[in-house]
């Protein structure tokens, strides 16, 4: 376990104030699950500093984040997400229409994400029955596919019930498409997002299971971490999983869940990219492709604020309200 020292902390802070002069080669797989910090907006710029290997991001919504709005898709690709559905209007096409408008306005959207953890209705899950999700999918994602945009299946939790949900969803989706074409047609997709918050052995097994059930499909890990662990196993998991994800051909993209300060974390205080002063932790620095910072994730104590899970839930409510969900 690394221990923070004043010199190392000064070096880490200087890397934020004076970004690296040499820009590293960006990793096409490595992305950002972005949770903006309204209390410390300066944190939002850490992820795109010179030297960062991050190449894409999503923010649980359909519009690019203001912090990155001036960056082109080539500089930092934004992938829109349809977080949930309007249960009172399953044929609502607000998501499809907004993505279409972004494309018409010149943003080169090539990929989109669909429903966030619809297999649960708590802790950020969208809680959608498979039949309802299929109807909303046909209304929004099938037309986007016809535009040449790649679409990701709904992102399940790591629970076994998620696989059951996915198969039911695909059956309903295929039924709807077949009814429209008067012949049996399977619902199609381009990649499969997964989430995981336990140890590496379970992580590798989970991905292997998805590869077996969805052969020849690119797997995208859009949320992952080893939650609520001591620092040493947290860092060991991070390093092992990062090497694994970069090496595995079946992995098309991944986003570690940690772009926030330690005190705001709902996955444990040692998992985040930033300590409580906004300095990059070792995990944060490594994820960006920088040298270890030596910063203790729990250093620089701050007054209590609402945990990240509450903040994410509030932002999701705002997204849903804005979309008329």
């Amino acid at each position: 376990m690394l221990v923070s020292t004043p010199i190392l902390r000064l070096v880490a802070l200087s890397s934020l104030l004076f970004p690296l002069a040499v820009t590293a080669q960006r990793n096409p797989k490595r992305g950002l699950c972005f949770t903006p910090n309204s209390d410390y907006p300066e944190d939002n710029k850490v992820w795109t500093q010179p030297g960062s290997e991050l190449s894409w991001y999503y923010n649980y919504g359909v519009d690019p984040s203001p912090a990155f709005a001036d960056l082109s898709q080539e500089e930092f690709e934004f992938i829109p997400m349809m977080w949930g559905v309007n249960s009172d209007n399953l044929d609502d096409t607000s998501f499809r229409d907004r993505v279409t408008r972004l494309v018409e306005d010149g943003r080169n959207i090539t990929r989109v994400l669909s429903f966030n953890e619809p297999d649960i209705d708590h802790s950020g899950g969208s809680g959608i029955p498979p039949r309802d999700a299929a109807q909303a999918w046909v209304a929004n994602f099938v037309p986007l596919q016809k535009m040449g945009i790649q679409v990701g299946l709904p992102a399940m939790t790591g629970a076994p019930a998620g696989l059951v949900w996915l198969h039911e969803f695909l059956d309903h989706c295929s039924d709807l498409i077949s009814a429209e074409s008067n012949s049996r047609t399977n619902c199609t997709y381009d990649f499969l997002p997964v989430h995981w918050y336990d140890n590496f052995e379970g992580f590798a097994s989970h991905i292997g299971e998805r590869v077996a059930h969805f052969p020849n499909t690119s797997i995208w890990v859009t949320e992952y971490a080893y939650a609520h662990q001591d620092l040493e196993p947290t860092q060991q998991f991070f390093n092992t999983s990062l090497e694994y994800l970069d090496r595995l051909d079946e992995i098309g993209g991944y986003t570690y869940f940690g772009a926030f300060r330690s005190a705001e974390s709902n996955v444990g205080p040692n998992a985040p990219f930033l300590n409580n002063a906004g300095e990059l932790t070792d995990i944060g620095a490594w994820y960006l492709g920088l040298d270890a910072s030596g910063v203790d994730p729990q250093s620089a104590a701050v007054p209590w604020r609402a945990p990240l899970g509450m903040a994410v839930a509030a932002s999701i409510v705002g997204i849903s309200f804005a979309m008329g969900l």
Side-chain angles (χ1 to χ4, degrees), residues 153-216:
L153 281 171
M156 300 294 107
T157 65
L163 191 58
V164 175
W165 191 103
L166 267 179
H167 284 303
E168 290 184 8
F169 162 79
L170 287 170
D171 286 342
H172 289 306
C173 185
S174 297
D175 288 343
L176 290 171
I177 295 175
S178 298
E180 293 179 358
S181 62
N182 295 317
S183 63
R184 186 61 186 177
T185 304
N186 288 329
C187 187
T188 62
Y189 46 86
D190 298 284
F191 57 98
L192 171 64
V194 301
H195 291 177
W196 189 257
Y197 287 102
D198 210 326
N199 62 34
F200 177 76
E201 291 75 17
F203 186 38
S205 176
H206 185 66
I207 290 176
E209 179 188 54
R210 290 301 187 266
V211 170
H213 279 265
F214 299 88
N216 304 313

Side-chain angles (χ1 to χ4, degrees), residues 5 8 18 21-22 60 87 90 124-125 130 138 176 191 218 229 252 254 257 259 268 273 315 323:
T5 67
L8 287 173
F18 307 101
V22 178
Y60 297 98
S87 59
L90 298 177
V138 171
L176 290 171
F191 57 98
S218 180
Q229 303 297 316
Y254 59 84
F257 189 70
F273 291 156
S315 67
M323 293 179 62

Side-chain angles (χ1 to χ4, degrees), residues 211-225:
V211 170
H213 279 265
F214 299 88
N216 304 313
T217 299
S218 180
I219 306 297
W220 285 57
V221 185
T222 49
E223 284 185 24
Y224 81 102

Side-chain angles (χ1 to χ4, degrees), residues 127-138:
I128 314 168
R131 185 185 298 273
D132 290 353
Q135 187 170 335
W137 173 282
V138 171

